[in-house]
Amino acid sequence: MAFTLGIDFGTNSVRAVVVDCANGREIGSRVIDYPSGKRGVLLDPRDPNLARQHPGDYFYGLQESVRGALEAASAVVGFRRDAVIGIGVDTTGSSPLPVDGQNRPIGMEPKLKDNLAAQCWLWKDHTSYAEAARITELAAKHRPQFIAKCGNTYSSEWFWSKIWHCLESAPEVFAAADSWIELADFIPAVLAGVTDPLKIKRGVCAAGHKALYADEWGGLPDKEFLMLLDPKLADLRDRLYEKAWDATTAAGDLTFEWAEKLGLPESIPIAIGEFDVHYGAIASGVREGVLAKVIGTSTCDCCVVKFDKQVKDIPGICGIVKGAILPGYYGIEAGQSAVGDIFNWWVEVVCEGDANLHATLSAEAAAQRPGQSGLLALDWNNGNRTILVDPRLGGLVVGQTLHTTRAEIYRALIEATAFGARMIIERLREYGVPVEKVVCCGGVAEKNALLMQIYADVTGCTMYVAGSEQTCALGSAISAAVLAGPEKGGHPDFAAAQRAMTSLKPVQYDPVPESQKVYQQLFLLYRQLHDAFGGVDRQADLSAIMKDLIRIREEQVGDER
Amino acid sequence: MAFTLGIDFGTNSVRAVVVDCANGREIGSRVIDYPSGKRGVLLDPRDPNLARQHPGDYFYGLQESVRGALEAASAVVGFRRDAVIGIGVDTTGSSPLPVDGQNRPIGMEPKLKDNLAAQCWLWKDHTSYAEAARITELAAKHRPQFIAKCGNTYSSEWFWSKIWHCLESAPEVFAAADSWIELADFIPAVLAGVTDPLKIKRGVCAAGHKALYADEWGGLPDKEFLMLLDPKLADLRDRLYEKAWDATTAAGDLTFEWAEKLGLPESIPIAIGEFDVHYGAIASGVREGVLAKVIGTSTCDCCVVKFDKQVKDIPGICGIVKGAILPGYYGIEAGQSAVGDIFNWWVEVVCEGDANLHATLSAEAAAQRPGQSGLLALDWNNGNRTILVDPRLGGLVVGQTLHTTRAEIYRALIEATAFGARMIIERLREYGVPVEKVVCCGGVAEKNALLMQIYADVTGCTMYVAGSEQTCALGSAISAAVLAGPEKGGHPDFAAAQRAMTSLKPVQYDPVPESQKVYQQLFLLYRQLHDAFGGVDRQADLSAIMKDLIRIREEQVGDER
């Protein structure tokens, strides 16, 4: 028997899972909440855009979660610590942190421990919006190829925006840092004891999706371009990395020191770090034709296309990166800026209800027929990531009467996210990326049968749910199992590992033809609103929208009688 | 001293008020709730469009309210019953009821008392929408002049739609009726003892606004036209009326029998009945240049223009009727289908709060600056009466984030109704109807200072509030005082009566220039949405709407810091 360890660094906590390489079974796990800040996030009451994380929490969470997971696994017959053959790590991203020349986070130094700019800049930090806009502008002018693969828009959430904002807003912190590193690269380097930032094996997932890295233009953006931003960023380039690696390369081997600390065999291989959703996609069974959809507060859609195919730049898609998810494939990432967050907003902020209200509203909404409320909504409360790549948009609800209920609006918001999901699928297909099957994971997919059925009816795809409830950690463990190889009890490649170690839940959601017919009509109206408010159609005729909604409502009510 | 009695038949209750002719002071009043149905309204659980009223409730409410008001007045020094010099009556409308040859409601006959079609068809009954559409279509083709003065659309709420629907859906009731009469004409006729339907003095207010009556084409619609609807309606024309009268003509004198019942002097004059909002406008001081705005669940806007001016047909205005409000003037009526109803919907249906929540949300909303929420709404939850005359529209809210609160949406809904109010004012001015001053009345105007300030800031007009809280009843009393004449202690004309008997509350709401600037920007966005969804602009460029809302929000938040 052989086991690998998957460690998933989330926004609020870290989770370690011990997985059986033969079948993907999770035999022990442990979740550790980050001790600092508000649920692990350092905030600034004066700036709602700021979200940081204390690096000390990573060390604490790493040690406690792994020890806890191993302890839990030890109770299982057949498990032995020396049968752990590898470790995989996934994290949020882009979450870069400043480090010194020994890969030590400068935010842990006594003089900087209270300086928010010296901590890890969490993925959802949006303080760098001005720098992002300038990078987009400069790249559009001087290096259009840099942003062609990320929807022609460089985000405030990403690597260079954040570091530049640090340079501009906290130059003393920037000066104190020898290098910057993505959390997804940092943890594997720590476990492997690689301290020279230039020797750390950085993953192409973070590099390609967030740092404008591509082999075809020689790695990170050239110095000449970075000079246009700031000469200090051009200097920094020499202290980052020359090359980034896909998951066929090890980040290193576990040091004696960490092996002792965690209670694991020394020198087992550590997989290249990837972002949580990418390893999650692997554990959801992503392969050509399979769209892996992580539905949470927001949504991340991942798919892969073999290298031997020509993948065109796809307008509005967040990223197309060689080797980012699976080695040998383009990793393609799209997403919706808010999904669960919209439902939470409705329930908690507007209805002022607690979490139980989700169930109540879902039950009421499930009793309604498609179109019966006469409502239509846009899912843009947090902007639109794919396919408009525009954060400066807002939500919209249309068709309210004097009788419209909160449950009807709740359902309309679910439908809006489903229409948004369909826009992504259509865009992918339009540019030759096959989508034949959709596998979902994440809390919303597991808990909300109404949402899953609506997604099936709206997209026309059968919706499956990944077997594991911890796909991110499982995907990390799969990567470790491939890296360890079959001779150690692992697997020869990802396809074999996915066959052995992933599964689907027995439930599946098939499109209901009657509902599809109604949703087809509503989707056409959604697309009219989408194009009109999204700036795609600047001569929009919306005169029939409200009348069509009333007609559809009357047809549905009529059918019911 | 001289007094008149105003009697106001509302949707849920009837109110009688005894008024001092010298100064308009209300010295005694009494409200009687209708005993039947749900708060006075007979409903059909199978048909949400149906709303009827039991005629027996009118007799009960008339007697009890008048006796109660007189009793209350008797406690006031200087009041004597024999100093009551006239009676005025206002009612909802169009609220027609079927009567026999003696002006007796057939809904009170034992065999028909449980038949909903035999009762009074309350103004908000919408069962006749199909007939209304056919009348609109037929008139557009054959008699465009009939509907040119009512926005080119005949409503399901109006006289002929309702009677035709009765003929089609309950022919036995139609057959049992000798005539039909508006409630506003019925009550004065009862008090005056006029039993021959052909001799009843019908008011031009109801006739002109709801029954397509105009002297210029010979009264009611000609038989040839009514034949196109149904020959039985053409026959009915002979059993209705030839001529309708303005408020210079008396409906009759109080009979001995009713004088005894009510405890009033015999033979005092009874004014022509008008609709509640029209008499309410008079008590709000309507005159040329003054818009009287009755703000309640919906809004009714009334203004007047002297006969000697040429008043063009104004597209989208509900009605332009000679003599309908004040004798000698065109009465012009516009309105918004839902105002208070929208706020009630938000508070009661969506937020599931009680009436107190209005105060809570208003207080929170009042702490916000214009534009600060980034929201914009359309006030069309119940369709749009003026200027689109289109019931088949719906509400809309745009600009929601993940932090948008219920109070922010509440404020956006108030603002939406203010923008709708401005659309009406602009349309009136565009067609030469002067609007120099706005006087509001109704519960919302009296209670909601936030709304009044927003209306001032959005329209640029100082908003005044009528001094009386019972403008409808007061207006009826004013009409009676004019009819009784100065020799009896009344007044020589309406202008004199208005000077003596009406007043304004000391509060007034002046536009705040800073807020006006923001609202001017928001109004332009509102008009874009209005025109796009209302079918006015079929090549709409809405691409900047959401961005402008965000920009305005940021400017407002920035200003606050």
Side-chain angles (χ1 to χ4, degrees):
Chain A
M1 291 185 83
F3 305 89
T4 50
L5 194 66
I7 317 175
D8 167 40
F9 287 78
T11 301
N12 310 114
S13 60
V14 55
R15 172 188 306 269
V17 178
V18 178
V19 175
D20 186 333
C21 295
N23 52 26
R25 199 160 56 99
E26 294 151 20
I27 65 164
S29 76
R30 183 71 186 272
V31 179
I32 299 294
D33 292 331
Y34 297 132
S36 305
K38 188 179 176 192
R39 300 186 66 216
V41 181
L42 308 176
L43 303 172
D44 180 347
R46 291 160 308 175
D47 186 354
N49 288 317
L50 188 145
R52 308 282 157 82
Q53 221 152 31
H54 184 52
D57 287 7
Y58 301 136
F59 289 98
Y60 167 77
L62 171 62
Q63 181 159 328
E64 294 301 311
S65 66
V66 172
R67 284 159 71 146
L70 290 169
E71 199 176 312
S74 300
V76 175
V77 177
F79 174 76
R80 295 194 334 268
R81 283 167 186 257
D82 61 7
V84 176
I85 60 170
I87 298 176
V89 174
D90 69 86
T91 74
T92 66
S94 173
S95 300
L97 60 159
V99 290
D100 68 11
Q102 307 291 305
N103 195 34
R104 287 178 301 218
I106 64 171
M108 293 175 73
E109 294 172 12
K111 71 175 193 297
L112 290 171
K113 74 179 173 40
D114 296 324
N115 187 323
L116 286 169
Q119 313 302 314
C120 180
W121 292 50
L122 193 59
W123 67 277
K124 64 177 175 178
D125 186 290
H126 289 105
T127 51
S128 320
Y129 57 87
E131 289 78 7
R134 283 156 70 193
I135 294 173
T136 298
E137 201 184 319
L138 289 167
K141 194 165 171 196
H142 302 284
R143 301 285 188 281
Q145 70 274 26
F146 285 180
I147 53 168
K149 300 221 181 288
C150 57
N152 284 317
T153 306
Y154 195 78
S155 166
S156 64
E157 292 187 2
W158 295 351
F159 192 75
W160 290 109
S161 305
K162 283 171 167 166
I163 297 173
W164 194 5
H165 187 64
C166 178
L167 169 57
E168 303 220 316
S169 62
E172 76 290 359
V173 170
F174 183 85
D178 272 280
S179 188
W180 285 73
I181 185 164
E182 280 282 351
L183 181 57
D185 297 324
F186 173 74
I187 303 287
V190 165
L191 291 171
V194 186
T195 55
D196 180 350
L198 289 172
K199 292 190 176 154
I200 292 171
K201 286 278 194 308
R202 317 261 186 153
V204 76
C205 165
H209 278 291
K210 312 297 179 187
L212 300 174
Y213 173 99
D215 289 333
E216 65 191 82
W217 54 73
L220 290 171
D222 56 273
K223 281 194 171 190
E224 195 185 342
F225 177 74
L226 293 173
M227 284 290 287
L228 297 173
L229 278 53
D230 193 298
K232 290 197 169 109
L233 291 177
D235 288 347
L236 176 65
R237 190 186 193 278
D238 292 334
R239 294 177 275 128
L240 294 171
Y241 51 94
E242 282 297 320
K243 180 158 173 59
W245 308 83
D246 71 19
T248 53
T249 299
D253 299 330
L254 189 65
T255 62
F256 173 77
E257 187 196 353
W258 274 101
E260 287 285 293
K261 253 189 225 172
L262 301 176
L264 280 171
E266 195 186 341
S267 298
I268 55 174
I270 298 153
I272 279 286
E274 285 195 10
F275 290 144
D276 37 22
V277 291
H278 289 206
Y279 272 151
I282 290 176
S284 301
V286 73
R287 62 175 189 273
E288 212 170 72
V290 174
L291 176 72
K293 201 173 180 64
V294 188
I295 310 179
T297 52
S298 63
T299 286
C300 188
D301 294 3
C302 295
C303 45
V304 295
V305 176
K306 280 216 182 80
F307 277 176
D308 54 17
K309 288 198 184 150
Q310 190 64 34
V311 173
K312 287 176 282 192
D313 296 340
I314 310 176
I317 293 294
C318 317
I320 306 172
V321 175
K322 278 179 108 169
I325 300 173
L326 284 175
Y329 292 81
Y330 288 96
I332 299 173
E333 189 187 321
Q336 291 171 264
S337 322
V339 174
D341 268 349
I342 295 183
F343 317 143
N344 289 337
W345 160 71
W346 185 250
V347 162
E348 292 166 19
V349 183
V350 179
C351 295
E352 298 186 359
D354 58 18
N356 294 327
L357 188 57
H358 281 286
T360 309
L361 295 184
S362 290
E364 275 182 61
Q368 297 160 16
R369 302 159 66 114
Q372 190 188 319
S373 70
L375 295 174
L376 184 62
L378 287 175
D379 50 323
W380 297 351
N381 292 48
N382 195 26
N384 177 294
R385 194 177 298 159
T386 311
I387 58 175
L388 296 172
V389 202
D390 190 348
R392 292 178 79 79
L393 296 171
L396 183 146
V397 181
V398 60
Q400 299 91 326
T401 68
L402 295 172
H403 308 286
T404 298
T405 66
R406 44 168 68 180
E408 288 175 327
I409 296 176
Y410 187 76
R411 182 174 177 125
L413 295 172
I414 294 176
E415 291 169 347
T417 67
F419 296 134
R422 178 163 162 185
M423 292 297 291
I424 293 173
I425 293 174
E426 296 205 344
R427 175 58 54 97
L428 290 169
R429 286 178 175 159
E430 193 185 336
Y431 283 81
V433 178
V435 177
E436 287 143 21
K437 184 173 171 179
V438 179
V439 181
C440 301
C441 64
V444 175
E446 282 155 20
K447 286 179 216 154
N448 198 324
L450 170 66
L451 175 138
M452 293 297 281
Q453 186 59 52
I454 290 173
Y455 274 48
D457 294 338
V458 166
T459 63
C461 300
T462 297
M463 306 295 284
Y464 299 87
V465 184
S468 168
E469 287 171 19
Q470 307 304 338
T471 47
C472 303
L474 175 59
S476 307
I478 288 171
S479 187
V482 174
L483 190 66
E487 60 280 8
K488 295 269 168 57
H491 295 281
D493 54 39
F494 277 93
Q498 284 180 304
R499 274 194 301 277
M501 296 175 72
T502 72
S503 63
L504 295 176
K505 286 217 165 56
V507 62
Q508 71 181 57
Y509 300 87
D510 293 310
V512 175
E514 276 174 45
S515 302
Q516 280 184 275
K517 267 184 224 159
V518 180
Y519 280 132
Q520 176 60 26
Q521 296 179 61
L522 290 173
F523 176 70
L524 295 177
L525 300 181
Y526 173 91
R527 202 159 60 187
Q528 277 190 274
L529 292 180
H530 175 284
D531 290 355
F533 285 94
V536 178
D537 177 3
R538 293 177 183 235
Q539 292 190 309
D541 181 358
L542 303 183
S543 59
I545 296 258
M546 291 177 177
K547 287 165 182 32
D548 285 347
L549 288 172
I550 292 173
R551 178 184 49 74
I552 293 167
R553 178 182 83 204
E554 288 173 347
E555 283 166 8
Q556 290 306 308
V557 173
D559 283 3
E560 202 175 44
R561 276 185 184 157
Chain B
M1 292 184 81
F3 305 90
T4 50
L5 193 67
I7 317 175
D8 168 41
F9 287 78
T11 302
N12 310 113
S13 59
V14 55
R15 173 187 306 268
V17 178
V18 178
V19 176
D20 186 334
C21 295
N23 52 26
R25 200 159 57 97
E26 294 151 20
I27 63 164
S29 76
R30 182 72 186 271
V31 179
I32 299 294
D33 292 331
Y34 297 131
S36 305
K38 188 179 176 190
R39 302 187 64 214
V41 182
L42 307 176
L43 303 171
D44 180 347
R46 292 161 306 176
D47 186 354
N49 287 316
L50 189 144
R52 307 279 156 83
Q53 220 152 31
H54 184 54
D57 287 7
Y58 301 135
F59 290 97
Y60 167 78
L62 171 62
Q63 181 160 330
E64 295 302 310
S65 66
V66 172
R67 285 161 69 148
L70 290 170
E71 198 175 314
S74 300
V76 174
V77 176
F79 174 75
R80 294 191 337 268
R81 284 165 188 257
D82 60 8
V84 175
I85 60 170
I87 299 176
V89 174
D90 69 87
T91 73
T92 66
S94 171
S95 300
L97 60 159
V99 292
D100 69 10
Q102 308 290 308
N103 195 35
R104 288 178 301 216
I106 64 171
M108 294 176 74
E109 294 173 12
K111 70 174 192 299
L112 289 172
K113 75 178 171 39
D114 296 324
N115 188 323
L116 286 170
Q119 314 302 316
C120 180
W121 291 51
L122 192 60
W123 65 277
K124 64 178 175 177
D125 186 291
H126 289 104
T127 50
S128 319
Y129 56 88
E131 289 79 6
R134 283 157 71 193
I135 293 172
T136 298
E137 201 185 319
L138 288 167
K141 195 166 168 192
H142 303 283
R143 301 286 188 280
Q145 69 275 25
F146 285 180
I147 53 170
K149 302 224 179 287
C150 58
N152 285 317
T153 306
Y154 195 77
S155 165
S156 65
E157 291 187 2
W158 296 350
F159 191 76
W160 290 109
S161 303
K162 283 171 166 164
I163 298 174
W164 193 6
H165 187 65
C166 177
L167 168 58
E168 302 219 318
S169 62
E172 76 288 359
V173 171
F174 182 87
D178 272 278
S179 188
W180 285 74
I181 186 163
E182 281 282 352
L183 181 56
D185 298 324
F186 174 74
I187 303 287
V190 164
L191 291 172
V194 186
T195 55
D196 179 350
L198 289 173
K199 292 189 177 154
I200 292 173
K201 286 277 195 308
R202 318 263 186 152
V204 76
C205 164
H209 278 291
K210 311 298 178 186
L212 300 175
Y213 173 99
D215 289 333
E216 65 191 82
W217 53 72
L220 290 170
D222 55 274
K223 281 193 171 189
E224 196 185 341
F225 176 73
L226 293 173
M227 284 289 286
L228 297 172
L229 279 52
D230 193 297
K232 290 197 169 110
L233 292 177
D235 288 347
L236 175 65
R237 190 185 192 280
D238 293 333
R239 293 176 275 127
L240 293 171
Y241 50 94
E242 282 297 320
K243 180 158 173 59
W245 307 83
D246 71 20
T248 51
T249 299
D253 299 328
L254 189 66
T255 62
F256 172 77
E257 185 196 354
W258 275 101
E260 287 285 292
K261 256 190 224 171
L262 301 177
L264 280 171
E266 195 186 339
S267 299
I268 56 175
I270 299 154
I272 278 287
E274 285 196 11
F275 290 144
D276 36 21
V277 290
H278 289 208
Y279 272 151
I282 290 176
S284 301
V286 74
R287 62 175 188 272
E288 212 170 70
V290 174
L291 176 71
K293 200 171 180 67
V294 188
I295 310 179
T297 53
S298 62
T299 286
C300 189
D301 294 3
C302 294
C303 44
V304 296
V305 175
K306 280 216 182 80
F307 277 176
D308 54 17
K309 289 201 183 149
Q310 190 65 31
V311 173
K312 288 177 281 193
D313 296 341
I314 310 176
I317 294 293
C318 315
I320 305 172
V321 174
K322 278 179 108 167
I325 299 174
L326 283 176
Y329 292 80
Y330 289 96
I332 298 173
E333 188 187 322
Q336 290 172 264
S337 322
V339 174
D341 268 349
I342 295 184
F343 317 143
N344 290 337
W345 160 71
W346 185 249
V347 162
E348 292 166 19
V349 183
V350 179
C351 295
E352 298 186 358
D354 58 19
N356 294 327
L357 188 57
H358 281 286
T360 310
L361 295 184
S362 290
E364 275 184 60
Q368 296 160 17
R369 300 159 67 113
Q372 190 187 320
S373 70
L375 295 173
L376 184 62
L378 287 175
D379 49 325
W380 298 352
N381 292 47
N382 196 25
N384 177 294
R385 194 176 297 160
T386 311
I387 56 174
L388 296 171
V389 202
D390 190 347
R392 290 179 80 79
L393 295 171
L396 183 145
V397 181
V398 60
Q400 299 92 328
T401 70
L402 294 172
H403 308 287
T404 299
T405 66
R406 44 169 67 179
E408 288 174 326
I409 297 176
Y410 187 76
R411 182 173 176 126
L413 296 172
I414 293 176
E415 291 168 348
T417 66
F419 295 135
R422 178 162 162 186
M423 292 296 292
I424 294 173
I425 292 173
E426 296 205 344
R427 175 56 56 96
L428 289 169
R429 285 176 175 161
E430 192 184 338
Y431 282 81
V433 178
V435 177
E436 287 144 22
K437 182 172 173 180
V438 179
V439 181
C440 302
C441 64
V444 175
E446 282 155 21
K447 286 178 215 157
N448 199 324
L450 170 67
L451 175 138
M452 293 298 283
Q453 185 59 51
I454 290 173
Y455 274 48
D457 294 337
V458 166
T459 62
C461 301
T462 297
M463 305 294 284
Y464 299 88
V465 183
S468 168
E469 287 171 20
Q470 308 305 337
T471 46
C472 303
L474 175 59
S476 307
I478 289 172
S479 188
V482 174
L483 191 66
E487 59 280 11
K488 294 269 170 55
H491 295 281
D493 54 40
F494 277 93
Q498 284 179 306
R499 274 195 301 276
M501 296 176 74
T502 72
S503 63
L504 295 176
K505 287 217 164 57
V507 61
Q508 71 180 55
Y509 301 88
D510 292 310
V512 174
E514 275 173 47
S515 302
Q516 279 183 277
K517 267 184 222 160
V518 181
Y519 280 132
Q520 177 59 25
Q521 295 179 61
L522 290 172
F523 177 68
L524 294 177
L525 300 181
Y526 173 91
R527 202 159 60 187
Q528 277 190 274
L529 292 180
H530 174 284
D531 289 355
F533 285 93
V536 178
D537 178 3
R538 291 174 186 238
Q539 292 189 307
D541 181 357
L542 303 183
S543 59
I545 295 259
M546 290 177 177
K547 287 165 183 33
D548 286 347
L549 288 172
I550 292 172
R551 177 183 51 72
I552 294 168
R553 179 181 81 204
E554 288 173 348
E555 284 166 7
Q556 290 306 308
V557 173
D559 283 2
E560 202 175 44
R561 275 185 186 159

